[in-house]
């Protein structure tokens, strides 16, 4: 009778488990294992040494397609997909090294969340130029996957906000937040060339310090001081600073001597200066 049909204890098996046919090196193979999973179990049963190293390498290579499929779930740009695959491979190596068959779980039930966690950690720590909350990163990933699905259906733009909302179940406001978060993931360089002939960089469009801003602050502070002056003094300031008239011309308009206009100007400017310095 086939050993797979009989629930008996054989040497090297655990009571209550079904023994399968022996592996190529004579070890009994637990029932229901794939060839790839058998490599992991055989490696776990080996002591450290060259044979274990060979089995470890073979197990990792056998499960590389699983790592690639998990990396592809995240819908990353083409130029970063290889980075995601490398992160998934790191997770696979950790899963192979840490898997304990004695716990009774299938290898894939342990490996898949381990690989997925490693990819998410890579996305969180290495693909965002600015800090974005994790919940928004996860929402952004779902929106990107929805856009890829909509493009496969023939919508070259990746769908409207309403299309993405219906596909993901995320509210339209949260969809807009996720789309805006994409700018935090890939911000433009100030050296980015743009325009019709791409001869202008973003840095060349940035404004510099405007010295008139300091004057604007001074004018705001000056206004109530000017209003508090007597009418004659305000008139003299207006004619002298804004009318560009000489002291003699002002004297003729006001009806006083040029010397008196000079004294009034000096006294008024001193008063204004003291008021401004006093705050």
């Amino acid at each position: 009778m086939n050993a797979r049909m009989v629930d008996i204890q054989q040497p090297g098996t655990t009571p209550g488990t079904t023994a399968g046919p022996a592996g190529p090196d004579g070890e009994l193979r637990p029932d229901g294992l794939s060839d790839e999973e058998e490599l992991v179990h055989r490696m776990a049963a080996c002591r450290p040494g060259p044979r274990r190293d060979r089995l470890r390498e073979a197990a990792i290579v056998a499960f590389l397609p699983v790592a690639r499929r998990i990396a592809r779930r995240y819908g990353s740009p083409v130029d970063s997909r290889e980075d995601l695959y490398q992160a998934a491979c790191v997770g696979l190596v950790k899963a192979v090294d840490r898997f304990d068959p004695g716990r009774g779980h299938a290898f894939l039930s342990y490996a898949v969340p381990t690989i997925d966690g490693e990819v998410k950690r890579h996305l969180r720590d290495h693909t965002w130029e600015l800090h974005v909350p994790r919940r928004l990163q996860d929402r952004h990933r779902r929106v990107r996957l929805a856009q890829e699905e909509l493009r496969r259906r023939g919508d070259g733009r990746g769908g409207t906000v309403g299309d993405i909302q219906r596909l993901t179940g995320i509210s339209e406001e949260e969809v807009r937040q996720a789309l805006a978060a994409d700018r935090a993931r890939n911000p433009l360089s100030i050296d980015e060339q743009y325009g019709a002939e791409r001869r202008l960089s973003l840095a060349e469009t940035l404004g510099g310090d405007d010295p008139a801003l300091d004057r604007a602050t001074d004018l705001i502070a000056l206004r109530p001081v000017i209003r508090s002056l007597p009418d004659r003094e305000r008139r003299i300031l207006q004619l002298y600073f804004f009318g560009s008239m000489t002291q003699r011309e002002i004297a003729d308009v006001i009806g006083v001597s040029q010397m008196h206009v000079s004294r009034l100007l000096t006294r008024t400017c001193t008063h204004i200066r003291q008021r401004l310095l006093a705050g």
Side-chain angles (χ1 to χ4, degrees), residues 29-104:
R29 170 175 168 172
D31 188 31
L33 291 182
S34 66
D35 292 339
E36 293 83 1
E37 289 177 311
E38 182 190 2
L39 289 171
V40 180
H41 281 257
R42 288 168 57 199
M43 184 207 80
C46 282
R47 293 181 178 180
R51 182 165 171 271
R52 178 186 172 91
D53 293 340
R54 288 194 299 270
L55 288 170
R56 176 178 180 270
E57 181 178 353
I60 291 171
V61 171
F63 283 99
L64 285 177
V66 175
R68 187 171 291 280
R69 284 197 298 272
I70 293 175
R72 285 177 177 170
R73 291 179 186 173
Y74 288 83
S76 62
V78 175
D79 57 355
S80 64
R81 284 178 183 169
E82 192 61 27
D83 291 338
L84 282 187
Y85 177 53
Q86 294 298 322
C89 291
V90 171
L92 172 60
V93 171
K94 290 181 178 179
V96 170
D97 289 343
R98 298 173 183 175
F99 178 65
D100 182 4
R103 294 181 178 272

Coordinates of all heavy atoms in Angstrom, one line a residue, residues 29-104:
R29 N 9.8 12.3 3.4 CA 9.2 13.5 3.0 C 7.8 13.6 3.5 O 7.0 12.8 3.3 CB 9.2 13.5 1.4 CG 8.4 14.6 0.8 CD 8.5 14.6 -0.7 NE 7.6 15.4 -1.4 CZ 7.6 15.7 -2.7 NH1 8.6 15.1 -3.4 NH2 6.7 16.5 -3.2
P30 N 7.5 14.7 4.3 CA 6.2 14.8 4.9 C 5.1 14.9 3.8 O 5.4 15.4 2.7 CB 6.2 16.2 5.6 CG 7.7 16.3 6.0 CD 8.4 15.7 4.8
D31 N 4.0 14.3 4.0 CA 2.9 14.2 3.0 C 2.5 15.6 2.6 O 2.3 16.5 3.4 CB 1.8 13.4 3.5 CG 0.7 13.1 2.4 OD1 1.2 13.0 1.3 OD2 -0.4 13.0 2.8
G32 N 2.2 15.8 1.3 CA 1.5 17.0 0.8 C 2.5 18.1 0.5 O 2.1 19.2 0.0
L33 N 3.8 18.0 0.6 CA 4.8 19.0 0.3 C 5.1 19.0 -1.2 O 5.2 18.0 -1.9 CB 6.1 18.8 1.0 CG 6.1 19.0 2.6 CD1 7.5 18.8 3.1 CD2 5.6 20.3 2.9
S34 N 5.2 20.3 -1.7 CA 5.7 20.4 -3.1 C 7.2 20.2 -3.1 O 7.9 20.1 -2.1 CB 5.4 21.8 -3.6 OG 6.1 22.8 -2.9
D35 N 7.8 20.1 -4.3 CA 9.2 19.9 -4.4 C 10.0 21.1 -3.8 O 11.0 20.9 -3.2 CB 9.6 19.7 -5.9 CG 9.1 18.4 -6.5 OD1 8.8 17.5 -5.7 OD2 9.0 18.3 -7.7
E36 N 9.4 22.3 -4.0 CA 10.1 23.5 -3.5 C 10.1 23.5 -2.0 O 11.0 23.8 -1.3 CB 9.4 24.7 -4.0 CG 9.6 25.0 -5.5 CD 8.6 24.2 -6.3 OE1 7.7 23.5 -5.7 OE2 8.6 24.3 -7.6
E37 N 8.9 23.2 -1.4 CA 8.8 23.2 0.1 C 9.6 22.1 0.7 O 10.1 22.2 1.8 CB 7.3 23.0 0.5 CG 6.4 24.2 0.2 CD 5.0 23.9 0.5 OE1 4.4 22.9 0.1 OE2 4.4 24.7 1.2
E38 N 9.8 20.9 0.0 CA 10.6 19.9 0.5 C 12.1 20.3 0.7 O 12.7 20.0 1.7 CB 10.6 18.7 -0.5 CG 11.4 17.5 0.0 CD 11.6 16.4 -1.0 OE1 11.1 16.6 -2.2 OE2 12.2 15.4 -0.7
L39 N 12.5 21.2 -0.2 CA 13.9 21.8 -0.1 C 14.0 22.5 1.2 O 15.1 22.4 1.9 CB 14.2 22.7 -1.2 CG 14.4 22.0 -2.6 CD1 14.5 23.1 -3.7 CD2 15.6 21.2 -2.6
V40 N 13.0 23.3 1.6 CA 13.1 24.1 2.9 C 13.1 23.1 4.0 O 13.9 23.3 5.0 CB 11.9 25.1 2.9 CG1 12.0 25.9 4.2 CG2 11.9 26.0 1.7
H41 N 12.3 22.1 4.0 CA 12.2 21.2 5.1 C 13.5 20.4 5.3 O 14.0 20.2 6.4 CB 11.0 20.2 4.9 CG 9.7 20.8 5.3 ND1 9.0 20.5 6.5 CD2 8.9 21.7 4.7 CE1 7.9 21.2 6.6 NE2 7.8 21.9 5.5
R42 N 14.1 20.0 4.1 CA 15.3 19.2 4.2 C 16.4 20.1 4.7 O 17.3 19.7 5.5 CB 15.7 18.7 2.8 CG 14.8 17.5 2.4 CD 15.0 17.2 0.9 NE 16.4 16.9 0.6 CZ 16.9 17.0 -0.6 NH1 16.1 17.3 -1.6 NH2 18.1 16.7 -0.8
M43 N 16.4 21.4 4.3 CA 17.5 22.3 4.8 C 17.4 22.5 6.3 O 18.4 22.5 7.0 CB 17.3 23.7 4.1 CG 18.4 24.7 4.5 SD 17.8 26.4 4.3 CE 16.9 26.6 5.9
A44 N 16.1 22.7 6.8 CA 15.9 22.9 8.2 C 16.3 21.7 9.0 O 16.7 21.8 10.2 CB 14.4 23.2 8.5
A45 N 16.3 20.5 8.4 CA 16.7 19.3 9.2 C 18.2 19.0 9.2 O 18.7 18.2 9.9 CB 16.0 18.1 8.6
C46 N 18.9 19.8 8.3 CA 20.4 19.6 8.2 C 21.1 20.4 9.3 O 20.7 21.5 9.7 CB 20.9 20.1 6.8 SG 20.5 18.9 5.6
R47 N 22.3 19.9 9.6 CA 23.2 20.7 10.5 C 23.9 21.7 9.6 O 24.1 21.5 8.4 CB 24.1 19.8 11.2 CG 23.5 18.9 12.2 CD 24.5 18.0 12.9 NE 23.8 17.1 13.9 CZ 24.5 16.3 14.7 NH1 25.8 16.1 14.5 NH2 23.9 15.6 15.6
P48 N 24.5 22.8 10.2 CA 25.3 23.7 9.4 C 26.4 23.0 8.7 O 27.1 22.2 9.3 CB 25.8 24.7 10.5 CG 24.8 24.6 11.6 CD 24.3 23.2 11.6
G49 N 26.6 23.4 7.4 CA 27.6 22.8 6.6 C 27.4 23.0 5.2 O 26.4 23.6 4.8
P50 N 28.2 22.5 4.3 CA 28.1 22.7 2.9 C 26.8 22.1 2.3 O 26.2 22.7 1.4 CB 29.3 21.9 2.3 CG 30.3 21.8 3.4 CD 29.5 21.8 4.7
R51 N 26.3 21.0 2.8 CA 25.1 20.4 2.3 C 23.9 21.3 2.6 O 23.0 21.5 1.8 CB 24.8 19.0 2.9 CG 23.6 18.3 2.4 CD 23.6 16.8 2.7 NE 22.3 16.3 2.4 CZ 21.3 16.2 3.2 NH1 21.4 16.7 4.4 NH2 20.1 15.6 2.9
R52 N 23.8 21.8 3.8 CA 22.8 22.8 4.2 C 22.8 24.0 3.3 O 21.8 24.6 2.9 CB 22.9 23.1 5.7 CG 21.8 24.1 6.1 CD 22.1 24.6 7.6 NE 21.2 25.7 7.9 CZ 20.0 25.5 8.5 NH1 19.5 24.3 8.7 NH2 19.2 26.5 8.8
D53 N 24.0 24.5 3.1 CA 24.2 25.7 2.2 C 23.6 25.5 0.8 O 23.0 26.3 0.2 CB 25.7 26.1 2.2 CG 26.2 26.6 3.5 OD1 25.4 27.0 4.4 OD2 27.4 26.6 3.7
R54 N 23.9 24.3 0.3 CA 23.4 23.9 -1.0 C 21.9 23.9 -1.1 O 21.2 24.4 -2.0 CB 24.0 22.6 -1.5 CG 25.5 22.7 -1.9 CD 25.9 21.5 -2.7 NE 25.7 20.2 -1.9 CZ 26.6 19.7 -1.1 NH1 27.8 20.3 -1.0 NH2 26.4 18.6 -0.4
L55 N 21.3 23.3 0.0 CA 19.8 23.2 0.0 C 19.2 24.6 0.2 O 18.2 24.9 -0.3 CB 19.5 22.3 1.2 CG 19.7 20.8 1.0 CD1 19.5 20.0 2.3 CD2 18.8 20.2 -0.1
R56 N 19.9 25.4 1.0 CA 19.4 26.8 1.3 C 19.4 27.6 -0.1 O 18.4 28.2 -0.4 CB 20.3 27.5 2.3 CG 19.9 28.9 2.5 CD 20.9 29.5 3.6 NE 20.6 30.9 3.9 CZ 21.2 31.9 3.3 NH1 22.0 31.7 2.3 NH2 20.9 33.2 3.6
E57 N 20.4 27.5 -0.8 CA 20.5 28.2 -2.1 C 19.4 27.7 -3.0 O 18.8 28.5 -3.7 CB 21.9 28.1 -2.7 CG 22.1 28.8 -4.0 CD 23.5 28.7 -4.6 OE1 24.3 28.1 -3.9 OE2 23.7 29.1 -5.7
A58 N 19.3 26.4 -3.1 CA 18.3 25.8 -4.0 C 16.9 26.2 -3.6 O 16.0 26.5 -4.5 CB 18.4 24.3 -4.0
A59 N 16.6 26.3 -2.3 CA 15.3 26.7 -1.8 C 15.0 28.1 -2.2 O 13.9 28.5 -2.6 CB 15.1 26.5 -0.3
I60 N 16.0 29.0 -2.0 CA 15.8 30.4 -2.3 C 15.5 30.6 -3.8 O 14.6 31.3 -4.2 CB 17.0 31.2 -1.9 CG1 17.1 31.3 -0.4 CG2 17.0 32.7 -2.5 CD1 18.4 31.8 0.2
V61 N 16.3 29.9 -4.7 CA 16.1 30.0 -6.1 C 14.7 29.5 -6.5 O 14.0 30.1 -7.4 CB 17.2 29.3 -6.8 CG1 16.9 29.2 -8.3 CG2 18.6 29.9 -6.6
A62 N 14.3 28.4 -5.9 CA 13.0 27.8 -6.2 C 11.8 28.8 -5.9 O 10.8 28.7 -6.6 CB 12.8 26.5 -5.4
F63 N 11.9 29.6 -4.9 CA 10.8 30.5 -4.5 C 11.0 31.9 -5.1 O 10.2 32.8 -4.7 CB 10.7 30.5 -3.0 CG 10.0 29.3 -2.5 CD1 10.7 28.3 -1.9 CD2 8.6 29.2 -2.5 CE1 10.1 27.1 -1.4 CE2 8.0 28.0 -2.0 CZ 8.7 27.0 -1.5
L64 N 12.0 32.2 -5.9 CA 12.1 33.5 -6.5 C 10.9 34.0 -7.2 O 10.6 35.2 -7.2 CB 13.4 33.6 -7.4 CG 14.7 33.6 -6.6 CD1 15.9 33.6 -7.6 CD2 14.8 34.8 -5.7
P65 N 10.2 33.1 -8.0 CA 9.0 33.6 -8.7 C 7.9 34.1 -7.7 O 7.2 35.1 -8.0 CB 8.5 32.4 -9.4 CG 9.7 31.5 -9.6 CD 10.6 31.8 -8.4
V66 N 7.9 33.6 -6.5 CA 6.9 34.1 -5.5 C 7.3 35.5 -5.1 O 6.5 36.4 -5.0 CB 6.9 33.2 -4.3 CG1 6.0 33.7 -3.2 CG2 6.4 31.8 -4.6
A67 N 8.6 35.7 -4.9 CA 9.1 37.1 -4.5 C 8.8 38.1 -5.6 O 8.4 39.2 -5.3 CB 10.6 37.0 -4.2
R68 N 9.0 37.7 -6.9 CA 8.7 38.6 -8.0 C 7.2 38.9 -8.0 O 6.8 40.1 -8.3 CB 9.2 38.0 -9.3 CG 9.1 39.0 -10.4 CD 9.8 38.5 -11.7 NE 11.2 38.5 -11.5 CZ 12.0 39.5 -11.6 NH1 11.5 40.7 -11.9 NH2 13.3 39.4 -11.5
R69 N 6.4 37.9 -7.9 CA 4.9 38.2 -7.9 C 4.5 39.2 -6.8 O 3.7 40.1 -7.0 CB 4.1 36.9 -7.8 CG 4.1 36.1 -9.1 CD 3.0 35.0 -9.0 NE 3.2 34.1 -7.9 CZ 3.9 33.0 -8.0 NH1 4.5 32.7 -9.2 NH2 4.0 32.1 -7.0
I70 N 5.0 39.0 -5.6 CA 4.7 39.9 -4.5 C 5.2 41.3 -4.8 O 4.5 42.3 -4.6 CB 5.3 39.4 -3.2 CG1 4.6 38.1 -2.8 CG2 5.1 40.4 -2.1 CD1 5.2 37.4 -1.6
A71 N 6.4 41.5 -5.4 CA 6.9 42.8 -5.7 C 6.0 43.5 -6.7 O 5.8 44.7 -6.7 CB 8.3 42.7 -6.2
R72 N 5.5 42.7 -7.7 CA 4.7 43.3 -8.7 C 3.3 43.8 -8.2 O 2.7 44.6 -8.9 CB 4.5 42.3 -9.8 CG 5.7 42.0 -10.7 CD 5.4 40.9 -11.7 NE 6.6 40.8 -12.6 CZ 6.7 39.8 -13.5 NH1 5.7 38.9 -13.6 NH2 7.7 39.7 -14.3
R73 N 2.9 43.4 -7.1 CA 1.6 43.8 -6.6 C 1.6 45.3 -6.3 O 0.5 45.9 -6.3 CB 1.3 43.1 -5.2 CG 1.0 41.7 -5.3 CD 0.8 41.2 -3.8 NE 0.6 39.8 -3.7 CZ 0.5 39.1 -2.6 NH1 0.6 39.8 -1.4 NH2 0.4 37.8 -2.5
Y74 N 2.7 45.9 -6.1 CA 2.7 47.3 -5.6 C 2.7 48.3 -6.7 O 2.7 49.5 -6.4 CB 4.0 47.5 -4.7 CG 3.7 46.8 -3.4 CD1 4.0 45.4 -3.3 CD2 3.2 47.4 -2.3 CE1 3.8 44.8 -2.1 CE2 3.0 46.8 -1.1 CZ 3.3 45.4 -1.0 OH 3.0 44.8 0.2
G75 N 2.7 47.9 -8.0 CA 2.5 48.9 -9.1 C 3.4 50.0 -9.1 O 3.1 51.2 -9.3
S76 N 4.7 49.7 -8.8 CA 5.7 50.8 -8.8 C 6.1 51.2 -10.2 O 5.9 50.5 -11.1 CB 6.9 50.3 -8.0 OG 7.5 49.2 -8.6
P77 N 6.7 52.4 -10.3 CA 7.2 52.8 -11.6 C 8.3 51.9 -12.1 O 8.9 51.2 -11.3 CB 7.9 54.2 -11.3 CG 7.2 54.7 -10.1 CD 6.9 53.5 -9.3
V78 N 8.5 51.8 -13.4 CA 9.4 50.8 -14.0 C 10.8 50.9 -13.5 O 11.4 49.9 -13.2 CB 9.4 51.0 -15.6 CG1 10.4 50.1 -16.2 CG2 8.0 50.7 -16.1
D79 N 11.2 52.2 -13.2 CA 12.6 52.4 -12.8 C 12.9 51.9 -11.4 O 14.0 51.8 -10.9 CB 13.1 53.8 -13.0 CG 12.2 54.8 -12.2 OD1 11.2 54.3 -11.7 OD2 12.5 56.0 -12.2
S80 N 11.8 51.6 -10.6 CA 12.0 51.2 -9.2 C 11.6 49.7 -9.0 O 11.6 49.2 -7.9 CB 11.3 52.1 -8.2 OG 9.9 52.1 -8.4
R81 N 11.1 49.1 -10.0 CA 10.6 47.7 -9.8 C 11.7 46.7 -9.4 O 11.5 45.8 -8.7 CB 9.9 47.2 -11.1 CG 8.5 47.8 -11.3 CD 7.8 47.4 -12.6 NE 6.6 48.1 -12.7 CZ 5.9 48.1 -13.8 NH1 6.3 47.5 -14.9 NH2 4.7 48.8 -13.9
E82 N 12.9 46.9 -10.0 CA 14.0 46.0 -9.6 C 14.4 46.2 -8.2 O 14.7 45.2 -7.5 CB 15.2 46.3 -10.6 CG 16.3 45.3 -10.5 CD 15.8 43.9 -10.9 OE1 14.8 43.8 -11.7 OE2 16.4 42.9 -10.4
D83 N 14.3 47.5 -7.7 CA 14.5 47.7 -6.3 C 13.5 46.9 -5.4 O 13.9 46.4 -4.3 CB 14.5 49.2 -5.9 CG 15.7 49.9 -6.6 OD1 16.7 49.3 -6.9 OD2 15.5 51.2 -6.8
L84 N 12.3 47.0 -5.8 CA 11.2 46.2 -5.0 C 11.5 44.7 -5.1 O 11.3 44.0 -4.1 CB 9.8 46.5 -5.6 CG 9.2 47.9 -5.2 CD1 7.8 47.9 -5.7 CD2 9.2 48.1 -3.7
Y85 N 11.9 44.3 -6.2 CA 12.2 42.8 -6.4 C 13.4 42.5 -5.4 O 13.4 41.4 -4.8 CB 12.5 42.5 -7.8 CG 12.9 41.1 -8.0 CD1 12.1 40.0 -7.6 CD2 14.1 40.8 -8.7 CE1 12.5 38.7 -7.8 CE2 14.5 39.4 -8.9 CZ 13.7 38.4 -8.5 OH 14.1 37.1 -8.7
Q86 N 14.4 43.3 -5.4 CA 15.5 43.0 -4.5 C 15.1 43.0 -3.0 O 15.5 42.1 -2.2 CB 16.6 44.1 -4.7 CG 17.3 44.1 -6.0 CD 18.0 42.8 -6.3 OE1 18.6 42.2 -5.4 NE2 18.0 42.3 -7.5
A87 N 14.2 43.9 -2.6 CA 13.6 43.9 -1.3 C 12.8 42.6 -1.0 O 12.9 42.1 0.1 CB 12.7 45.1 -1.1
A88 N 12.1 42.2 -2.0 CA 11.3 41.0 -1.9 C 12.2 39.8 -1.7 O 12.0 38.8 -0.9 CB 10.4 40.8 -3.1
C89 N 13.4 39.8 -2.4 CA 14.3 38.7 -2.3 C 15.0 38.7 -0.9 O 15.2 37.6 -0.3 CB 15.4 38.8 -3.3 SG 14.9 38.5 -5.0
V90 N 15.2 39.8 -0.3 CA 15.7 39.9 1.1 C 14.7 39.3 2.0 O 15.0 38.5 2.9 CB 16.0 41.4 1.5 CG1 16.3 41.5 3.0 CG2 17.1 41.9 0.7
G91 N 13.4 39.6 1.8 CA 12.4 39.0 2.6 C 12.3 37.5 2.5 O 12.1 36.7 3.4
L92 N 12.5 37.0 1.2 CA 12.5 35.5 1.0 C 13.7 34.9 1.7 O 13.5 33.8 2.3 CB 12.6 35.3 -0.5 CG 12.9 33.8 -1.0 CD1 11.7 33.0 -0.5 CD2 13.0 33.7 -2.5
V93 N 14.9 35.5 1.7 CA 16.0 34.9 2.4 C 15.7 34.8 3.9 O 16.0 33.8 4.5 CB 17.3 35.7 2.1 CG1 18.4 35.3 3.0 CG2 17.7 35.6 0.6
K94 N 15.1 35.9 4.4 CA 14.8 35.8 5.9 C 13.8 34.7 6.2 O 13.9 34.1 7.2 CB 14.2 37.2 6.3 CG 15.2 38.3 6.3 CD 14.6 39.6 6.7 CE 15.6 40.8 6.8 NZ 15.0 42.1 7.2
A95 N 12.8 34.6 5.3 CA 11.8 33.5 5.5 C 12.4 32.1 5.5 O 12.1 31.3 6.3 CB 10.7 33.6 4.4
V96 N 13.3 31.9 4.5 CA 14.0 30.6 4.4 C 14.8 30.3 5.6 O 14.8 29.2 6.2 CB 14.8 30.5 3.1 CG1 15.7 29.2 3.1 CG2 13.9 30.5 1.9
D97 N 15.5 31.3 6.1 CA 16.5 31.1 7.2 C 15.7 31.0 8.6 O 16.2 30.3 9.5 CB 17.4 32.3 7.3 CG 18.4 32.3 6.2 OD1 18.6 31.3 5.6 OD2 19.0 33.4 6.0
R98 N 14.5 31.6 8.7 CA 13.8 31.6 10.0 C 12.7 30.6 10.1 O 12.1 30.4 11.1 CB 13.3 33.0 10.2 CG 14.3 34.1 10.3 CD 13.7 35.5 10.4 NE 14.7 36.6 10.4 CZ 14.4 37.9 10.4 NH1 13.1 38.2 10.3 NH2 15.3 38.8 10.4
F99 N 12.4 29.9 9.0 CA 11.2 29.0 9.0 C 11.5 27.8 9.9 O 12.6 27.2 9.8 CB 10.9 28.6 7.6 CG 9.8 27.6 7.5 CD1 8.5 28.0 7.8 CD2 10.0 26.3 7.1 CE1 7.5 27.0 7.7 CE2 9.0 25.4 7.0 CZ 7.7 25.7 7.3
D100 N 10.5 27.5 10.7 CA 10.6 26.4 11.6 C 9.5 25.3 11.3 O 8.4 25.6 11.6 CB 10.5 26.8 13.1 CG 10.6 25.7 14.1 OD1 10.9 24.6 13.6 OD2 10.5 26.0 15.3
P101 N 9.9 24.2 10.6 CA 8.8 23.2 10.3 C 8.1 22.7 11.5 O 7.0 22.2 11.4 CB 9.6 22.2 9.5 CG 10.9 22.8 9.1 CD 11.2 23.8 10.1
G102 N 8.8 22.7 12.6 CA 8.2 22.1 13.8 C 7.0 22.8 14.3 O 6.2 22.3 15.1
R103 N 6.7 24.0 13.8 CA 5.5 24.7 14.2 C 4.3 24.2 13.5 O 3.1 24.6 13.8 CB 5.7 26.2 14.0 CG 6.7 26.8 14.9 CD 6.9 28.3 14.7 NE 7.8 28.9 15.6 CZ 7.5 29.4 16.8 NH1 6.3 29.3 17.2 NH2 8.5 30.0 17.5
G104 N 4.5 23.4 12.5 CA 3.3 22.8 11.8 C 2.7 23.7 10.7 O 1.6 23.3 10.2

